[in-house]
Structures are given as C-alpha cells and as structure tokens.
Amino acid sequence: MRQAIAIVTAVLSSGAPHHADFRGAEVERAAINDNRTPAGILRGGTLALELEVREVDWRPDGDRAPGLVVRAFAERGKRASIPGPLLRVPEGTMIHARVTNPLSKGTLVVRGFSARGGSASAADTIQVAAGATREVRFAAGSAGTYHYAGQVVGGVGLDSGATTDAELHGAFVVDARRARAAHERVLVIGLWTRSTRAGNTVARNDLLRFTINGRTWPSTERLRYTVGDTVRFRVINASTAVHPMHLHGFYFDVNSRGDGTADSAFGATVSVPRVVTERAAAGRTFTMTWVPERSGNWLFHCHDNFHTLRQRPLDGTPLVAEHKAHVKNHALDMMGGLVMAIEVRGRDAHVERSDAPRRRLRLVAQVDSGGTEDNPAYGYVLHEGASASRVHGPLLPAPTIMLERGKPVSITVVNHLREPTAVHWHGIELESYFDGVADFSGVGTRIAKAIAPGDSFVARFTPPRSGTFMYHPHADETRQQQAGLAGALLVVDSLPRFDAERDKVALLTVPRSDEDAATRILINGSLTPDTLRLRVGERYRLRVIDLHTFRPSMIARLQRDSTLVTWRAVAKDGMDLPADRATVRRAIQQMGNGETYDFEFTPTEATDLRLTVTTGAGVLLATMPVVVR
C-alpha cells in the first residue's frame, strides 16, 4: 500500500534581493491563498500531502504592484502560495510526512508537524540536514486552530530567516467530528520586515508588510455576508508582533484561544467571552463567531495604528506626509496593512429613525496651542445647549461624552482643523453610515465622506447598552490621535443618577511629543496625572480605556508598594461579564489598543496606592497616585 507522504524541499538562490527586479528573471509568482481549499488528498482516514518550499515572487500589494523574493510552501505540482497550503483534516486523521532538504548547505527546520493539542516538545520540530530526508508520521490530534512554519538556518548567501522565511507558514486546522460552519474563514496574519529589531518591534518608517492571507490593505479580500448569517473566523497570528483585532459595529464571541500547539475552547464549563477587540499575541490563535444584524460596510482590523498605516512602496520610495497628501478616499489611500472590509447585505432588523426626538450634542475638533504643522496639537470641545467643556487649551484630555442607554442622540461633529477628519464611535452598535470610517462607512452609494475643514457631519444612534467605550478619528488616525483627538465615551443607565464621585476613568493615550511618546504614556491627558482620592469602605468603578496608537502590550496594576491589591472585574469592551468571569482577582490587567476594562474596587483601609502602566516587559510608562482615606 502506497503511504501518504509530505515532501518539504527548499530550492534556494544565493543572494536573492529583498526587492525583486523581475525583468528577465524566472521566478515563480506566488499565489495568494484564501485558505478555502484544503491541501492533499484525504482517503480512508489518511491525508496524502506533498509539500515543498520554493523561492517566489510575492506581490502583497496586488498583482500589478512591485514584489519581493521570499520563500513559500507549495503543494507539489502546484503553485507556491502565501500563506502556505491549508492543512485541514477531521479529528482522527493520520498524516505521514517525508521531509526532504536538497540544499548543499543549511538545515531545514519545520515546526508544527506533530499531533496537535498537547504541550510543545522536541517532537514538534523536524530538523533535516542538507541533502537528507526524514520521514515523520503523526496523528492530527485534537480539534482546534493551529499553524506550521519553516526556516532554513546555517545556509550561505541568504538573508536572515526573519526576512526571507517570514511568510514560510500556513494554517493547520483539525475539525471536530461535525459539519463545518457555512460561513467560516481562516485568516492568517503575517509580517515581513526588511530587518528585525530588538523585541520584534517595528517602527513607522520601517520597510515592512503586514498581511492577512498574503495581502495588505486595500488589496485584502472583501468579505460579503447577509444580515442574520452566523459568521465564523479562525484567526492565526503567524507574525512576530501583537495584534488587537477589532470588529466595527458588532460584538463577537471568542470561542477558543490557542498558542499554535494547544487550543482551549469556551462554552462547555467556562462562559464565552464577548468583545469588540481581541488581543492576539505573536504565535497565538483565536476563533470567533458573530451575527451581522445591520447592513453596510464594516471593518475588521488591527487596532495598533502602526499596523494599519499606509506602507512604503517596496522600492523604498518615501511616503508623502499624511497632512500633505491630497487623497480622494481616506479609507483606501490612507490605510494599509491589517485591514479587511466586510459588506453586509439585506434588510436591517431595526433602522434608526431620523425624526426621533434626540438629545443634541456638538463635538468640535479644533487646533490646540503648542503644536506645529508636522507635530500638531488638536483637541475636542463638547457643546450641549449653552454649556461647553473646556474651550481654551490645553485641550487634554478630550471631554468624556456621557450618554444614556436607550436614549437617541445626535452628535454634530464640526471640523475646525486645517485637514479632513472623521469620528469613529468605537464599540457602539449603530448604523454603518454613522460608524465614522471616512469614505467607507455606509450602504451602497450612501457613503459618509471625510469631514472637510469647515464642514460638519451628524452622527445619530441610540446606544443599546450601558458600558465603557471610546471615540477617535478614523481619517489619518495615527497623526490625529497623537495630536489629542481621543476620548472616553460612557453609556450609563441614568444620567441623573450617575455618581461621578464613585465612577473613575483612566484614559490611556499617546503623548503629543515624539520624544515623550517613545518612553511614556498619558493618563487622562497628563504625564503627571492628578491624584485619585478614594474613601475607605466606598465602592468605586474604575474604567481603564486603552486608546494608545502603537503599544499593543501594556499592563495596568493597582498596587501598594510592590504588592497588588484586589479588584473585581465587571465588564470588557462595554459588555458586562457573566458571573464566572466577574470575579475578584489580583489587580493586574494586560491590555491591547482598543480595549476597555471595568473593575469594582472597595478599599478596606487608609493607605497610599499607585495605578501603574508598564510595557509588557515591565518598563514603567505612567503612574497615577491613589490616596485612600
């Protein structure tokens, strides 16, 4: 009986350039893999799979854009693809692999070709010396979402593995013994960089490509659904960076989380998290389901603004500065990287009445004092009737917008800047037209344009739930948020009964100065935030809002000296937590951009505390004194 095999080979050309000049060069064009067709032949409970690794011409920005020479996996006899071929089998499947490395020098290392669902071990890594062949057999393992990757080490005339082999990965899905969801998609996040930095960080001017299924926005695939569909994504972060993935307009259920080796599902004994932003660390996976209830255009994207910026052309040509670029479409021309567009068609279950009685607010974006053209200072002023928030600078922090659950509101956004803007109501369930993505939000031909200087836009919605949300620009997001356009949006059950003395916000944003932004953050608009004064025995709600532009890994702690106190988690992204998650725990929380966390805290003794925010590695970014008396 012929055994099923997987042959992994590496065909390398020494000295391959980062930016391919393909005139006269014979380099295979990589296919873009949408992860819809499983690789190999499944017969009698065994997957017959043949893979090889090739050097390819990859066009992440579209078929007509410049490309790169990188390594990619290919199913034998077929085009190489980025991401690599989809390994997708039912539980109980056996996979046989024969791994071949035809190189004269260099070791081929493949990770992920072993039974999934267990702990990582030496068996997870296949090392094949140059010119050698190694046969591997393994069971697929437990149902879940996984991935595999390869790298050639110790070769000659090659670029670093982080560059040439950055896209040498693919999805590995083991299905439970049941039918797949009809609208399921597998989304693999990749990151190619010209060079690596300490801690796998990237900078704004690095030559890089953030991709979803091998493409960068606006060349990423457009997804289309119908109102009422149940949509399922398997998200695989095969990159070396952290990505807080945010869905506009809807909550989604996080059905499982994994690390590429093991996968943990929710719902049986532990409640399913319901969020609008899910932070995926490097190498991690998660699955999510959601039901689009309203038609229109929506985004699913990373909320680290550096990961959704326009990306420099692959020939290294510098980009025109955002405020000097005259673009026709801000969504298409001013964003890049990890962004996917979703079009929902059909009839909405509920449409916002334009003539409904509404509370009316006016939010003015205006120039603040102390800025320059290249590093501006902007701020919001909030008006209601004859009253207004602080009108004169410094306009930090942005005013907190207070809304009431179930009460219609009309917010007129007025642009007094010298450049276009738009406001996104992050986490709010509303009609697409009012979602605030410039030149994108809306239905059909009714698209909300960027708000030109001197112009205005009226956003109408009725917040359906109480919770902690945020608002910020969605036109030239990085520049305008750093300038000061970022604020808290709170929805409460009753405005008259809201107790500001026992309800406290910690808004985390980026400093205006690039020098400060490199090492510090703002808490409530300040590098030296005011002391938070609490009383013994009183119960407080602490709302932590992460609206930073480029730090997807920050940790908040409430501590006495070096000892953590305890608090009770009560909400995430404006959604109340179920009983099994609304627990008392140590006062520490890891956060990603675009996430909000609510905690209850009742101090039991007079003492001095600190709310600190650090990097994921523990470097202190900000401190807020907390005095309990």
Side-chain angles (χ1 to χ4, degrees):
M1 176 178 169
R2 181 170 177 255
Q3 292 186 348
I5 60 173
I7 301 176
V8 181
T9 61
V11 182
L12 307 172
S13 300
S14 62
H18 286 291
H19 312 107
D21 180 352
F22 295 108
R23 290 171 296 181
E26 295 182 0
V27 182
E28 176 186 356
R29 177 74 64 86
I32 299 301
N33 186 3
D34 63 8
N35 284 309
R36 300 180 99 169
T37 304
I41 299 174
L42 183 62
R43 182 177 301 150
T46 297
L47 180 70
L49 175 69
E50 300 188 11
L51 294 180
E52 42 189 53
V53 175
R54 303 181 195 147
E55 191 172 79
V56 297
D57 161 15
W58 174 44
R59 305 292 177 104
D61 302 332
D63 292 337
R64 298 183 180 180
L68 300 165
V69 173
V70 298
R71 299 187 187 104
F73 283 113
E75 200 173 352
R76 192 175 184 184
K78 301 180 181 181
R79 284 176 63 186
S81 67
I82 295 177
L86 169 63
L87 274 61
R88 186 158 199 169
V89 296
E91 278 185 294
T93 300
M94 291 298 300
I95 300 174
H96 294 177
R98 203 172 74 136
V99 181
T100 301
N101 178 5
L103 293 178
S104 59
K105 292 184 179 180
T107 298
L108 174 64
V109 179
V110 179
R111 298 178 177 85
F113 275 16
S114 65
R116 303 290 85 189
S119 59
S121 66
D124 190 57
T125 301
I126 304 168
Q127 298 190 21
V128 188
T133 297
R134 181 175 174 182
E135 185 172 336
V136 179
R137 303 182 181 187
F138 60 94
S142 303
T145 305
Y146 312 102
H147 50 90
Y148 64 95
Q151 185 178 357
V152 176
V153 296
V156 293
L158 301 176
D159 297 317
S160 69
T163 295
T164 307
D165 296 333
E167 301 301 319
L168 200 54
H169 52 240
F172 184 178
V173 175
V174 181
D175 287 305
R177 292 180 176 89
R178 56 179 173 79
R180 292 184 208 156
H183 298 287
E184 180 175 283
R185 296 302 305 273
V186 178
L187 308 178
V188 177
I189 296 172
L191 165 60
W192 175 90
T193 61
R194 169 180 275 238
S195 59
T196 57
R197 293 169 173 264
N200 293 319
T201 59
V202 296
R204 183 171 184 170
N205 293 322
D206 285 347
L207 192 61
L208 50 79
R209 284 298 179 271
F210 287 105
T211 58
I212 300 178
N213 284 351
R215 289 289 202 197
T216 184
W217 175 266
S219 295
T220 48
E221 182 184 1
R222 301 300 202 265
L223 303 179
R224 291 179 174 85
Y225 301 104
T226 300
V227 170
D229 285 344
T230 296
V231 182
R232 180 180 174 91
F233 293 163
R234 294 180 184 262
V235 181
I236 298 171
N237 183 5
S239 80
T240 56
V242 179
H243 304 296
M245 300 302 295
H246 171 54
L247 177 65
H248 281 223
F250 308 96
Y251 283 89
F252 59 88
D253 290 341
V254 181
N255 304 105
S256 70
R257 294 184 180 123
D259 62 4
T261 300
D263 203 0
S264 299
F266 304 115
T269 59
V270 180
S271 63
V272 175
R274 179 163 288 185
V275 301
V276 300
T277 306
E278 172 72 3
R279 179 183 177 276
R284 297 300 178 112
T285 68
F286 68 91
T287 60
M288 55 181 278
T289 55
W290 58 287
V291 177
E293 301 157 332
R294 295 171 302 283
S295 60
N297 299 329
W298 308 97
L299 289 184
F300 180 59
H301 67 94
C302 178
H303 214 272
D304 185 317
N305 287 18
F306 278 14
H307 301 175
T308 59
L309 279 172
R310 298 176 301 155
Q311 298 179 353
R312 287 174 59 196
L314 289 173
D315 61 8
T317 302
L319 290 168
V320 177
E322 284 85 350
H323 62 289
K324 297 179 180 179
H326 300 287
V327 301
K328 294 182 178 179
N329 186 303
H330 284 75
L332 297 180
D333 299 332
M334 300 293 282
M335 298 178 70
L338 301 181
V339 183
M340 294 194 80
I342 300 170
E343 180 185 2
V344 178
R345 300 175 179 178
R347 181 173 296 179
D348 298 6
H350 170 74
V351 177
E352 192 82 13
R353 283 181 51 201
S354 60
D355 60 346
R358 294 177 183 277
R359 179 179 170 214
R360 300 188 180 277
L361 303 176
R362 190 166 175 262
L363 185 68
V364 181
Q366 65 185 51
V367 177
D368 200 359
S369 58
T372 65
E373 182 182 23
D374 292 330
N375 292 287
Y378 297 153
Y380 287 121
V381 177
L382 182 65
H383 299 262
E384 182 173 16
S387 64
S389 62
R390 184 172 57 248
V391 176
H392 302 291
L395 299 176
L396 288 176
T400 296
I401 298 178
M402 300 288 302
L403 303 180
E404 196 165 347
R405 175 176 57 86
K407 297 295 182 64
V409 64
S410 173
I411 304 177
T412 301
V413 181
V414 182
N415 184 7
H416 285 175
L417 308 178
R418 294 185 290 268
E419 59 192 85
T421 191
V423 176
H424 168 54
W425 315 99
H426 181 114
I428 297 293
E429 300 150 277
L430 74 179
E431 291 182 40
S432 175
Y433 185 75
F434 304 118
D435 189 46
V437 182
D439 302 315
F440 176 82
S441 295
V443 179
T445 59
R446 184 175 180 250
I447 303 299
K449 297 295 184 180
I451 308 171
D455 206 346
S456 63
F457 176 82
V458 180
R460 295 189 295 267
F461 55 90
T462 302
R465 71 187 72 250
S466 297
T468 304
F469 306 97
M470 60 184 79
Y471 66 99
H472 60 80
H474 228 300
D476 196 359
E477 296 92 323
T478 303
R479 169 184 165 87
Q480 293 188 7
Q481 279 188 224
Q482 184 169 352
L485 299 183
L489 192 163
L490 308 187
V491 182
V492 298
D493 291 339
S494 170
L495 286 173
R497 292 198 298 270
F498 177 73
D499 187 353
E501 292 299 316
R502 292 173 178 80
D503 200 302
K504 304 297 183 181
V505 170
L507 176 68
L508 312 182
T509 57
V510 63
R512 287 170 168 167
S513 154
D514 288 340
E515 181 179 358
D516 287 333
T519 58
R520 307 178 73 181
I521 68 166
L522 303 180
I523 299 181
N524 294 337
S526 176
L527 294 170
T528 56
D530 293 340
T531 298
L532 184 61
R533 300 187 181 278
L534 310 180
R535 297 177 62 182
V536 174
E538 299 285 349
R539 184 172 65 184
Y540 295 88
R541 189 181 189 104
L542 305 179
R543 304 175 188 258
V544 183
I545 302 173
D546 186 348
L547 241 178
H548 203 279
T549 59
F550 65 85
R551 291 190 181 276
S553 293
M554 295 196 295
I555 300 176
R557 297 174 175 88
L558 185 60
Q559 57 195 88
R560 179 189 302 107
D561 297 324
S562 61
T563 303
L564 293 171
V565 298
T566 59
W567 56 22
R568 188 172 77 90
V570 293
K572 162 75 164 74
D573 291 348
M575 177 67 68
D576 290 343
L577 297 177
D580 67 321
R581 293 185 179 274
T583 57
V584 176
R585 60 189 70 176
R586 294 193 310 157
I588 180 171
Q589 181 63 57
Q590 187 167 51
M591 303 170 294
N593 320 48
E595 292 185 310
T596 71
Y597 291 90
D598 290 26
F599 303 96
E600 283 185 356
F601 175 60
T602 304
T604 58
E605 60 179 326
T607 187
D608 293 336
L609 306 174
R610 296 177 298 145
L611 178 67
T612 64
V613 181
T614 69
T615 66
V619 178
L620 184 65
L621 298 170
T623 299
M624 172 186 277
V626 181
V627 174
V628 181
R629 294 294 184 262

